[in-house]
Amino acid sequence: RILKKETFKKECHTWLKKGIRSYHKKLWTGNYYRLYNDPEKGLISNVCLANQLMGIWCVKILGLKEYLPAENIRSALKTIKKLNFNATRFGFINGMRSVGTPETISSHASEVFVGENSCAAMTFMLYDNYKDVGLRAAEEMYKAVIETYRTPWCQHCYISSKDGHPCWGKAYY
């Protein structure tokens, strides 16, 4: 629209509609969007990713229309709070199984991934009923990083969901 390319605009809109239909059909569990579903290979994961709504955060801060149904967003936020947020006192566990246990396929899934956790917290802060959850998640994670383990200049990619200690991926933020 901005570039005044009507044909391309229509093409992008068609792709978006097709992508949203496929996204919903393959990933919506009835409560949240699963991590992946590859029907051709028979691979499916019912992991609830803490940051599954990052795209919604992006469109909301840009003032664009949410592309997922509002009831799905509310349900996903509620489920992420129940599964990922309530499982640790350091933010959100990155990947939780629908039965309420951390995904153990990798330590990445069962810990608090600092960057992803920050994005999830910001998404929660955009919704009045969940603003306090986002603020608490960010605050508790950063308390562990900055106050308890004093690693603000050598922040790790993820911290332990059990005690908040840095456990993998040194970076320099």
Side-chain angles (χ1 to χ4, degrees):
R1 181 179 50 83
I2 292 168
L3 297 173
K4 297 177 177 43
K5 303 280 186 180
E6 283 303 311
T7 303
F8 185 59
K9 176 185 148 189
K10 287 177 185 174
E11 190 176 344
C12 288
H13 186 71
T14 300
W15 291 340
L16 180 62
K17 283 174 59 175
K18 183 178 178 182
I20 290 169
R21 275 194 310 272
S22 178
Y23 185 80
H24 186 76
K25 179 181 174 188
K26 290 181 179 181
L27 301 178
W28 183 244
T29 67
N31 295 310
Y32 63 92
Y33 292 94
R34 66 177 45 94
L35 185 55
Y36 60 83
N37 181 3
D38 185 345
E40 290 80 28
K41 294 182 180 174
L43 301 172
I44 188 167
S45 170
N46 283 321
V47 166
C48 179
L49 186 64
N51 193 24
Q52 64 187 264
L53 297 174
M54 179 63 189
I56 294 299
W57 177 78
C58 292
V59 297
K60 280 189 70 93
I61 65 163
L62 291 172
L64 301 173
K65 182 182 173 209
E66 294 174 344
Y67 54 88
L68 298 174
E71 62 273 8
N72 290 24
I73 294 169
R74 284 191 303 275
S75 180
L77 289 168
K78 181 179 177 182
T79 304
I80 296 164
K81 178 185 176 190
K82 176 184 168 191
L83 295 175
N84 305 70
F85 178 71
N86 288 336
T88 181
R89 55 171 252 225
F90 301 102
F92 299 97
I93 289 183
N94 200 39
M96 291 292 289
R97 295 181 180 127
S98 59
V99 294
T101 58
E103 175 56 69
T104 57
I105 196 165
S106 74
S107 57
H108 174 274
S110 60
E111 304 297 356
V112 177
F113 195 97
V114 175
E116 297 290 317
N117 194 90
S118 299
C119 294
M122 290 185 294
T123 303
F124 271 74
M125 286 183 224
L126 292 174
Y127 294 89
D128 288 334
N129 294 343
Y130 293 98
K131 190 174 288 188
D132 62 321
V133 174
L135 288 169
R136 269 191 41 223
E139 181 180 16
E140 295 304 322
M141 180 188 61
Y142 278 103
K143 275 184 185 177
V145 170
I146 295 167
E147 293 176 9
T148 305
Y149 292 99
R150 301 186 182 278
T151 58
W153 304 113
C154 187
Q155 182 178 310
H156 290 69
C157 289
Y158 53 87
I159 62 174
S160 169
S161 60
K162 293 169 189 64
D163 63 11
H165 79 273
C167 56
W168 188 84
K170 281 187 179 180
Y172 299 99
Y173 291 96

